[in-house]
Amino acid sequence: MLQKFGFSQYESQVFEVLASSEEPMDATNIVKYSGVPKSKIYEVLTRMIEKGMVLDSVSEKKKLYTALPLSIVIEKLTTEFQENVEQLKTSTSKRKFYDEHVWSLKVDSSIRAQTKQLLQAAEKSIKVSAWQDDVCDFLPILEDKEKQGIDVEVLVVGEMESSLKNVHTLIPAQEHHSLERFRLVVVDEEEVIFAGVENESWQAMKTKSRPFIKVFIEFFYHDVALAKINEKHSDLLMNDEEIRRVLMKLRY
């Protein structure tokens, strides 16, 4: 029965001998009647003492051992079993698995629908980086989420009016030849959709992969920093031919 509660065969044999003995026993007699090898007996006794199943004492320079009374053992094992069950319930409910897949999306209407659904599910934070017309499409959701107390931060390419508190604006240079349409949405720092145009068709990726989430959050703030620098020092940057050439190679 003890083995069903996780005790080893040797531990069970030692307890059985001690529990059936009317007197405390020394290690020699435990070996004799239990069948546990002499080389293992002290190791087994130590484990049983640590588990609270065996008591030890010294009498006339001899170490003696006795078993915990059976009625107390039953109460002890029952209590520990119930505690383990409750701990298991708690541990199971708190455990969370993460989907590391990267999913591909195609067709603009599907990408927009997925994006709006993701925004609606936001509970803590939203980061959006996109062109003005795309941001306007999501604006009612973003403004509603901000009213709910969710942290909303937007980087918009082009002028836009809104009630949002945290909007960064980038006005690209007219001669910029590397302009690309894109959308980046990060929700609760747990899920991301990044979309762009390839061969004149919208394509996107959606993922909860933590490494990707980290990269896209850094990507977002890289763009915010670029927008701020461009806003404050546009003349200086554009008049420096070397810096200007580098900026014109960026996606906006």
Side-chain angles (χ1 to χ4, degrees), residues 10-172:
Y10 286 167
E11 290 171 344
S12 302
Q13 289 172 212
V14 165
F15 183 82
E16 183 181 2
V17 167
L18 290 174
S20 60
S21 174
E22 294 182 355
E23 301 290 337
M25 301 176 69
D26 59 19
T28 301
N29 282 319
I30 296 172
V31 169
K32 179 178 179 181
Y33 294 108
S34 70
V36 176
K38 185 177 180 180
S39 61
K40 296 285 186 180
I41 193 62
Y42 289 106
E43 176 187 337
V44 175
L45 285 168
T46 298
R47 288 203 305 267
M48 293 297 279
I49 291 169
E50 290 175 349
K51 292 179 180 181
M53 297 288 287
V54 169
L55 293 76
D56 64 331
S57 181
V58 177
S59 177
E60 297 179 357
K61 297 183 180 181
K62 181 182 290 188
K63 199 161 190 178
L64 299 176
Y65 304 88
T66 189
L68 196 69
L70 191 57
S71 59
I72 298 178
V73 167
I74 293 171
E75 181 180 351
K76 165 185 164 63
L77 295 179
T78 301
T79 301
E80 290 178 354
F81 178 77
Q82 292 297 333
E83 290 175 352
N84 289 338
V85 168
E86 292 304 316
Q87 185 178 359
L88 180 61
K89 288 179 181 178
T90 305
S91 299
T92 304
S93 62
K94 289 183 179 179
R95 193 171 182 181
K96 189 173 183 180
F97 295 93
Y98 291 92
D99 180 3
E100 296 292 326
H101 292 91
V102 177
W103 303 98
S104 296
L105 303 173
K106 294 185 179 182
V107 184
D108 188 33
S109 58
S110 296
I111 296 170
R112 287 180 183 274
Q114 286 274 319
T115 302
K116 289 179 179 179
Q117 184 182 52
L118 182 61
L119 291 171
Q120 291 283 14
E123 296 180 351
K124 294 178 288 187
S125 66
I126 295 173
K127 294 176 179 62
V128 174
S129 179
W131 285 47
Q132 179 265 351
D133 55 339
D134 286 328
V135 176
C136 286
D137 186 31
F138 306 136
L139 199 54
I141 301 174
L142 297 174
E143 291 177 339
D144 184 57
K145 285 293 180 178
E146 187 171 77
K147 290 177 183 177
Q148 295 175 26
I150 291 171
D151 181 26
V152 177
E153 191 168 5
V154 174
L155 172 66
V156 57
V157 180
E159 295 285 355
M160 183 188 74
E161 293 186 5
S162 77
S163 63
L164 295 173
K165 301 174 184 176
N166 205 353
V167 176
H168 312 282
T169 303
L170 179 77
I171 307 299

Side-chain angles (χ1 to χ4, degrees), residues 181-195:
R181 302 281 296 187
F182 70 93
R183 299 179 201 131
L184 171 62
V185 175
V186 183
V187 168
D188 296 337
E189 298 192 0
E190 292 180 354
E191 190 166 3
V192 63
I193 289 180
F194 179 75

